[in-house]
mmCIF file of all heavy atoms in Angstrom:
data_model
loop_
_atom_site.group_PDB
_atom_site.id
_atom_site.type_symbol
_atom_site.label_atom_id
_atom_site.label_comp_id
_atom_site.label_asym_id
_atom_site.label_seq_id
_atom_site.Cartn_x
_atom_site.Cartn_y
_atom_site.Cartn_z
ATOM 1 N N ALA A 45 12.143 -11.706 -2.142
ATOM 2 C CA ALA A 45 12.847 -10.587 -2.774
ATOM 3 C C ALA A 45 11.865 -9.515 -3.235
ATOM 4 O O ALA A 45 12.144 -8.313 -3.110
ATOM 5 C CB ALA A 45 13.685 -11.085 -3.949
ATOM 6 N N ALA A 46 10.714 -9.933 -3.744
ATOM 7 C CA ALA A 46 9.693 -8.967 -4.174
ATOM 8 C C ALA A 46 9.191 -8.154 -2.985
ATOM 9 O O ALA A 46 8.995 -6.939 -3.088
ATOM 10 C CB ALA A 46 8.530 -9.689 -4.859
ATOM 11 N N PHE A 47 9.001 -8.814 -1.844
ATOM 12 C CA PHE A 47 8.554 -8.104 -0.642
ATOM 13 C C PHE A 47 9.627 -7.130 -0.153
ATOM 14 O O PHE A 47 9.322 -6.011 0.246
ATOM 15 C CB PHE A 47 8.183 -9.085 0.476
ATOM 16 C CG PHE A 47 6.927 -9.883 0.220
ATOM 17 C CD1 PHE A 47 6.767 -11.137 0.788
ATOM 18 C CD2 PHE A 47 5.901 -9.400 -0.571
ATOM 19 C CE1 PHE A 47 5.612 -11.879 0.581
ATOM 20 C CE2 PHE A 47 4.739 -10.127 -0.798
ATOM 21 C CZ PHE A 47 4.598 -11.384 -0.212
ATOM 22 N N GLU A 48 10.882 -7.551 -0.203
ATOM 23 C CA GLU A 48 11.984 -6.672 0.220
ATOM 24 C C GLU A 48 12.094 -5.454 -0.707
ATOM 25 O O GLU A 48 12.295 -4.331 -0.246
ATOM 26 C CB GLU A 48 13.309 -7.435 0.254
ATOM 27 C CG GLU A 48 13.406 -8.450 1.374
ATOM 28 C CD GLU A 48 13.399 -7.834 2.775
ATOM 29 O OE1 GLU A 48 13.727 -6.636 2.928
ATOM 30 O OE2 GLU A 48 13.047 -8.555 3.718
ATOM 31 N N LYS A 49 11.965 -5.700 -2.001
ATOM 32 C CA LYS A 49 12.026 -4.607 -2.979
ATOM 33 C C LYS A 49 10.886 -3.629 -2.713
ATOM 34 O O LYS A 49 11.070 -2.413 -2.748
ATOM 35 C CB LYS A 49 11.933 -5.172 -4.398
ATOM 36 C CG LYS A 49 11.935 -4.108 -5.489
ATOM 37 C CD LYS A 49 11.862 -4.748 -6.874
ATOM 38 C CE LYS A 49 11.928 -3.722 -7.971
ATOM 39 N NZ LYS A 49 10.627 -3.330 -8.483
ATOM 40 N N HIS A 50 9.705 -4.160 -2.446
ATOM 41 C CA HIS A 50 8.557 -3.276 -2.224
ATOM 42 C C HIS A 50 8.702 -2.489 -0.919
ATOM 43 O O HIS A 50 8.210 -1.373 -0.822
ATOM 44 C CB HIS A 50 7.239 -4.043 -2.270
ATOM 45 C CG HIS A 50 6.062 -3.116 -2.368
ATOM 46 N ND1 HIS A 50 5.949 -2.167 -3.360
ATOM 47 C CD2 HIS A 50 4.980 -2.960 -1.582
ATOM 48 C CE1 HIS A 50 4.831 -1.480 -3.175
ATOM 49 N NE2 HIS A 50 4.233 -1.933 -2.105
ATOM 50 N N LYS A 51 9.403 -3.060 0.048
ATOM 51 C CA LYS A 51 9.642 -2.316 1.296
ATOM 52 C C LYS A 51 10.456 -1.062 0.998
ATOM 53 O O LYS A 51 10.141 0.031 1.478
ATOM 54 C CB LYS A 51 10.350 -3.177 2.330
ATOM 55 C CG LYS A 51 10.582 -2.438 3.660
ATOM 56 C CD LYS A 51 11.330 -3.295 4.659
ATOM 57 C CE LYS A 51 11.518 -2.595 5.970
ATOM 58 N NZ LYS A 51 12.466 -1.476 5.920
ATOM 59 N N ALA A 52 11.502 -1.207 0.188
ATOM 60 C CA ALA A 52 12.327 -0.052 -0.174
ATOM 61 C C ALA A 52 11.503 0.982 -0.939
ATOM 62 O O ALA A 52 11.623 2.193 -0.695
ATOM 63 C CB ALA A 52 13.533 -0.496 -0.998
ATOM 64 N N GLU A 53 10.660 0.523 -1.847
ATOM 65 C CA GLU A 53 9.780 1.435 -2.581
ATOM 66 C C GLU A 53 8.807 2.135 -1.633
ATOM 67 O O GLU A 53 8.549 3.329 -1.775
ATOM 68 C CB GLU A 53 8.986 0.680 -3.648
ATOM 69 C CG GLU A 53 9.774 0.308 -4.862
ATOM 70 C CD GLU A 53 8.954 -0.446 -5.893
ATOM 71 O OE1 GLU A 53 7.822 -0.870 -5.601
ATOM 72 O OE2 GLU A 53 9.461 -0.608 -7.011
ATOM 73 N N THR A 54 8.270 1.386 -0.680
ATOM 74 C CA THR A 54 7.296 1.949 0.256
ATOM 75 C C THR A 54 7.930 3.055 1.091
ATOM 76 O O THR A 54 7.284 4.068 1.376
ATOM 77 C CB THR A 54 6.691 0.836 1.143
ATOM 78 O OG1 THR A 54 6.078 -0.138 0.289
ATOM 79 C CG2 THR A 54 5.642 1.376 2.098
ATOM 80 N N GLU A 55 9.192 2.890 1.451
ATOM 81 C CA GLU A 55 9.889 3.946 2.190
ATOM 82 C C GLU A 55 9.937 5.233 1.367
ATOM 83 O O GLU A 55 9.716 6.330 1.893
ATOM 84 C CB GLU A 55 11.299 3.480 2.579
ATOM 85 C CG GLU A 55 11.283 2.419 3.665
ATOM 86 C CD GLU A 55 12.611 1.719 3.872
ATOM 87 O OE1 GLU A 55 13.551 1.905 3.048
ATOM 88 O OE2 GLU A 55 12.725 0.964 4.860
ATOM 89 N N GLN A 56 10.181 5.103 0.065
ATOM 90 C CA GLN A 56 10.186 6.270 -0.825
ATOM 91 C C GLN A 56 8.773 6.848 -0.964
ATOM 92 O O GLN A 56 8.606 8.069 -1.048
ATOM 93 C CB GLN A 56 10.732 5.897 -2.207
ATOM 94 C CG GLN A 56 12.196 5.547 -2.198
ATOM 95 C CD GLN A 56 12.684 5.095 -3.571
ATOM 96 O OE1 GLN A 56 11.958 4.467 -4.321
ATOM 97 N NE2 GLN A 56 13.923 5.429 -3.879
ATOM 98 N N GLN A 57 7.782 5.975 -0.985
ATOM 99 C CA GLN A 57 6.393 6.428 -1.110
ATOM 100 C C GLN A 57 5.978 7.237 0.114
ATOM 101 O O GLN A 57 5.272 8.243 -0.015
ATOM 102 C CB GLN A 57 5.472 5.224 -1.337
ATOM 103 C CG GLN A 57 5.727 4.564 -2.675
ATOM 104 C CD GLN A 57 5.130 3.182 -2.804
ATOM 105 O OE1 GLN A 57 4.530 2.649 -1.889
ATOM 106 N NE2 GLN A 57 5.313 2.580 -3.971
ATOM 107 N N VAL A 58 6.420 6.813 1.286
ATOM 108 C CA VAL A 58 6.136 7.565 2.512
ATOM 109 C C VAL A 58 6.780 8.951 2.406
ATOM 110 O O VAL A 58 6.143 9.957 2.760
ATOM 111 C CB VAL A 58 6.633 6.799 3.763
ATOM 112 C CG1 VAL A 58 6.640 7.698 4.993
ATOM 113 C CG2 VAL A 58 5.766 5.569 4.008
ATOM 114 N N GLU A 59 8.002 9.002 1.897
ATOM 115 C CA GLU A 59 8.677 10.299 1.728
ATOM 116 C C GLU A 59 7.900 11.206 0.776
ATOM 117 O O GLU A 59 7.765 12.410 1.020
ATOM 118 C CB GLU A 59 10.108 10.097 1.225
ATOM 119 C CG GLU A 59 11.039 9.518 2.276
ATOM 120 C CD GLU A 59 12.434 9.222 1.748
ATOM 121 O OE1 GLU A 59 12.802 9.737 0.656
ATOM 122 O OE2 GLU A 59 13.168 8.472 2.416
ATOM 123 N N ARG A 60 7.368 10.626 -0.304
ATOM 124 C CA ARG A 60 6.571 11.429 -1.247
ATOM 125 C C ARG A 60 5.309 11.962 -0.573
ATOM 126 O O ARG A 60 4.933 13.118 -0.775
ATOM 127 C CB ARG A 60 6.189 10.599 -2.469
ATOM 128 C CG ARG A 60 7.294 10.444 -3.452
ATOM 129 C CD ARG A 60 6.770 9.836 -4.759
ATOM 130 N NE ARG A 60 7.837 9.054 -5.307
ATOM 131 C CZ ARG A 60 7.848 7.737 -5.462
ATOM 132 N NH1 ARG A 60 6.799 7.017 -5.161
ATOM 133 N NH2 ARG A 60 8.905 7.135 -5.946
ATOM 134 N N LEU A 61 4.658 11.107 0.212
ATOM 135 C CA LEU A 61 3.465 11.558 0.938
ATOM 136 C C LEU A 61 3.819 12.702 1.885
ATOM 137 O O LEU A 61 3.066 13.674 2.000
ATOM 138 C CB LEU A 61 2.836 10.401 1.719
ATOM 139 C CG LEU A 61 2.103 9.362 0.891
ATOM 140 C CD1 LEU A 61 1.700 8.179 1.765
ATOM 141 C CD2 LEU A 61 0.882 9.966 0.203
ATOM 142 N N GLU A 62 4.959 12.602 2.535
ATOM 143 C CA GLU A 62 5.396 13.660 3.443
ATOM 144 C C GLU A 62 5.626 14.963 2.675
ATOM 145 O O GLU A 62 5.345 16.054 3.192
ATOM 146 C CB GLU A 62 6.632 13.217 4.227
ATOM 147 C CG GLU A 62 6.276 12.152 5.256
ATOM 148 C CD GLU A 62 7.460 11.488 5.933
ATOM 149 O OE1 GLU A 62 8.626 11.690 5.499
ATOM 150 O OE2 GLU A 62 7.222 10.747 6.906
ATOM 151 N N GLN A 63 6.096 14.860 1.432
ATOM 152 C CA GLN A 63 6.245 16.054 0.595
ATOM 153 C C GLN A 63 4.889 16.684 0.289
ATOM 154 O O GLN A 63 4.757 17.912 0.285
ATOM 155 C CB GLN A 63 6.971 15.714 -0.710
ATOM 156 C CG GLN A 63 8.434 15.384 -0.537
ATOM 157 C CD GLN A 63 9.064 14.950 -1.851
ATOM 158 O OE1 GLN A 63 8.795 15.525 -2.896
ATOM 159 N NE2 GLN A 63 9.894 13.913 -1.795
ATOM 160 N N VAL A 64 3.885 15.848 0.031
ATOM 161 C CA VAL A 64 2.540 16.362 -0.242
ATOM 162 C C VAL A 64 1.992 17.055 1.006
ATOM 163 O O VAL A 64 1.431 18.153 0.919
ATOM 164 C CB VAL A 64 1.582 15.253 -0.743
ATOM 165 C CG1 VAL A 64 0.165 15.791 -0.909
ATOM 166 C CG2 VAL A 64 2.088 14.654 -2.059
ATOM 167 N N PHE A 65 2.169 16.424 2.159
ATOM 168 C CA PHE A 65 1.744 17.066 3.410
ATOM 169 C C PHE A 65 2.424 18.436 3.538
ATOM 170 O O PHE A 65 1.777 19.430 3.900
ATOM 171 C CB PHE A 65 2.110 16.209 4.626
ATOM 172 C CG PHE A 65 1.121 15.132 4.959
ATOM 173 C CD1 PHE A 65 1.421 13.793 4.737
ATOM 174 C CD2 PHE A 65 -0.117 15.436 5.530
ATOM 175 C CE1 PHE A 65 0.520 12.793 5.060
ATOM 176 C CE2 PHE A 65 -1.024 14.441 5.866
ATOM 177 C CZ PHE A 65 -0.708 13.113 5.630
ATOM 178 N N GLN A 66 3.718 18.485 3.258
ATOM 179 C CA GLN A 66 4.473 19.730 3.364
ATOM 180 C C GLN A 66 3.915 20.785 2.409
ATOM 181 O O GLN A 66 3.783 21.955 2.779
ATOM 182 C CB GLN A 66 5.950 19.451 3.067
ATOM 183 C CG GLN A 66 6.863 20.626 3.303
ATOM 184 C CD GLN A 66 8.322 20.246 3.086
ATOM 185 O OE1 GLN A 66 8.643 19.396 2.257
ATOM 186 N NE2 GLN A 66 9.204 20.893 3.824
ATOM 187 N N GLN A 67 3.570 20.372 1.186
ATOM 188 C CA GLN A 67 2.986 21.302 0.218
ATOM 189 C C GLN A 67 1.683 21.906 0.747
ATOM 190 O O GLN A 67 1.361 23.056 0.460
ATOM 191 C CB GLN A 67 2.719 20.595 -1.115
ATOM 192 C CG GLN A 67 3.959 20.199 -1.857
ATOM 193 C CD GLN A 67 3.684 19.246 -3.009
ATOM 194 O OE1 GLN A 67 2.544 18.926 -3.314
ATOM 195 N NE2 GLN A 67 4.745 18.778 -3.648
ATOM 196 N N LEU A 68 0.937 21.105 1.507
ATOM 197 C CA LEU A 68 -0.342 21.560 2.075
ATOM 198 C C LEU A 68 -0.149 22.284 3.411
ATOM 199 O O LEU A 68 -1.130 22.683 4.037
ATOM 200 C CB LEU A 68 -1.279 20.372 2.270
ATOM 201 C CG LEU A 68 -1.692 19.619 1.003
ATOM 202 C CD1 LEU A 68 -2.439 18.343 1.368
ATOM 203 C CD2 LEU A 68 -2.520 20.502 0.102
ATOM 204 N N GLU A 69 1.118 22.384 3.834
ATOM 205 C CA GLU A 69 1.469 22.991 5.121
ATOM 206 C C GLU A 69 0.810 22.249 6.284
ATOM 207 O O GLU A 69 0.289 22.845 7.226
ATOM 208 C CB GLU A 69 1.126 24.487 5.131
ATOM 209 C CG GLU A 69 1.921 25.258 4.093
ATOM 210 C CD GLU A 69 1.611 26.741 4.056
ATOM 211 O OE1 GLU A 69 0.774 27.223 4.848
ATOM 212 O OE2 GLU A 69 2.228 27.430 3.217
#
Side-chain angles (χ1 to χ4, degrees):
F47 290 152
E48 289 295 338
K49 178 179 183 263
H50 193 55
K51 181 182 182 290
E53 284 180 349
T54 302
E55 289 168 350
Q56 292 176 326
Q57 293 165 358
V58 167
E59 288 176 16
R60 282 191 212 115
L61 287 172
E62 289 171 350
Q63 290 175 41
V64 175
F65 276 108
Q66 187 176 32
Q67 292 168 4
L68 297 171
E69 297 180 1

